[in-house]
Amino acid sequence: MAADNKITLYDLQVSTGATISPFVWATKFAVAHKGFELDIVDGGFTGILERTGGKTERLPAIVDDGKWVLDSWGIVEYLDETYPDRPMLIPHESTAALTKALDAWFWATATGPWMRCFCADYRDVSFEHDKEYVTRTREVMLGKTLEKMQEGREDRLPAISAALEPLRMALREHKFLGGSEPNYADYRIMGSILWLASVAQTPALAADDPLRGWIENVRALFGGLGNHPGLFNIFGLEQREGDPDLFIRQAGTGGIFKRNTGPASTQAETQRINQNKD
């Protein structure tokens, strides 16, 4: 059992004091979800191996009453296996499968594209002693200088916002991805959104984005865990002429959201698709 109901977490921070890693953010929420207090070990990108006593060079990492646990998914599995009497992060095997699929989609659709839009800002907000490491490693990952990769982001941000419609559709009828209560799916996606808020000094989502309510609800959990003062405002993106719609204003009219209650409910669509029949 965690001593004094506390679990030590090794943080990955930038100069504002905010956590930058989406994986660490998700782990912070996971630990809090299980009802534990966080004992944070501060630090940036460099010196992780020394800070952890040689245990790891990648974060997150937690220490539970002397036991080291690495990797964000490994930590979730450990917490649920070790403390099944506390609220479950993955309440069913299906939740694990769906969370993995959702996470893969979100990384390809939003996290990766946002990274390419804010990579120079990412470097600039880092601690001074981390900037050389961030520049060198991210330029290898991205294949360009950070400034060149970030260039033209104003033309890319609207399309990223528009591509998030599946997430909006899910959350229009549910308070959380976990339903009436949050689970690890919420924290996993929120981790990437809070990563965005840790670096993005240019808005990436519209002020009236339907995701805003869910984002603010999750950030407010556990005493406002996601409301660190070092985070930037991600809302306020404005649609320009020629941009795609930042989100669909009349959503939920097809697929699983369509409700067939008889001919009257489908008559308008039938007339529309048959209008040139003759």
Side-chain angles (χ1 to χ4, degrees):
M1 181 67 172
D4 301 322
N5 203 49
K6 287 186 177 181
I7 286 179
T8 298
L9 180 141
Y10 283 78
D11 207 350
L12 186 60
Q13 302 159 331
V14 288
S15 61
T16 64
T19 297
I20 191 170
S21 165
F23 308 111
V24 175
W25 269 120
T27 302
K28 281 187 167 185
F29 276 92
V31 172
H33 180 95
K34 298 300 278 189
F36 294 110
E37 295 180 41
L38 287 158
D39 178 22
I40 301 293
V41 178
D42 297 330
F45 286 97
T46 53
I48 294 173
L49 195 62
E50 294 78 13
R51 197 156 69 244
T52 61
K55 298 291 186 182
T56 180
E57 59 180 3
R58 296 286 184 271
L59 298 175
I62 66 168
V63 185
D64 179 14
D65 201 18
K67 180 178 177 61
W68 284 79
V69 188
L70 309 179
D71 184 77
S72 56
W73 193 265
I75 290 169
V76 168
E77 292 177 325
Y78 168 82
L79 290 171
D80 272 353
E81 290 170 3
T82 307
Y83 303 104
D85 55 326
R86 294 183 177 226
M88 297 295 284
L89 290 155
I90 305 290
H92 190 271
E93 182 183 0
S94 62
T95 307
L98 290 170
T99 299
K100 290 175 181 177
L102 181 64
D103 181 66
W105 166 77
F106 199 80
W107 270 84
T109 302
T111 312
W114 277 335
M115 165 61 86
R116 292 187 283 276
C117 288
F118 294 103
C119 52
D121 291 350
Y122 182 107
R123 182 265 324 281
D124 292 344
V125 79
S126 296
F127 290 114
E128 198 63 38
H129 60 267
D130 285 337
K131 287 181 179 178
E132 186 279 330
Y133 169 83
V134 170
T135 301
R136 174 171 45 83
T137 58
R138 272 51 185 176
E139 288 186 350
V140 169
M141 291 177 186
L142 297 171
K144 291 183 180 180
T145 66
L146 301 185
E147 286 76 13
K148 189 67 177 176
M149 180 59 71
Q150 185 169 294
E151 189 177 287
R153 65 182 175 192
E154 64 275 6
D155 297 323
R156 303 195 300 272
L157 287 171
I160 301 171
S161 175
L164 300 183
E165 209 55 34
L167 186 62
R168 295 186 185 98
M169 293 181 76
L171 289 164
R172 275 185 167 93
E173 295 188 359
H174 303 279
K175 185 176 182 180
F176 298 105
L177 293 171
S180 60
E181 300 291 335
N183 63 26
Y184 189 60
D186 291 275
Y187 310 143
R188 193 75 183 189
I189 301 304
M190 186 55 58
S192 284
I193 290 172
L194 291 177
W195 163 81
L196 174 68
S198 73
V199 300
Q201 298 179 54
T202 295
L205 297 173
D208 57 345
D209 194 307
L211 288 174
R212 188 165 188 163
W214 169 75
I215 290 171
E216 291 178 350
N217 284 338
V218 178
R219 289 181 67 167
L221 293 171
F222 315 118
L225 180 60
N227 288 326
H228 190 281
L231 297 175
F232 299 107
N233 177 29
I234 62 173
F235 298 105
L237 179 66
E238 295 185 2
Q239 185 174 336
R240 308 165 306 171
E241 184 176 353
D243 284 342
D245 289 339
L246 302 182
F247 59 88
I248 298 175
R249 296 183 181 277
Q250 292 183 328
T253 58
I256 203 168
F257 295 92
K258 183 181 290 186
R259 295 291 185 266
N260 177 16
T261 58
S265 68
T266 57
Q267 186 176 31
E269 183 183 62
T270 299
Q271 289 177 342
R272 179 175 59 80
I273 62 179
N274 287 330
Q275 61 183 349
N276 296 321
K277 182 177 180 182
D278 297 326

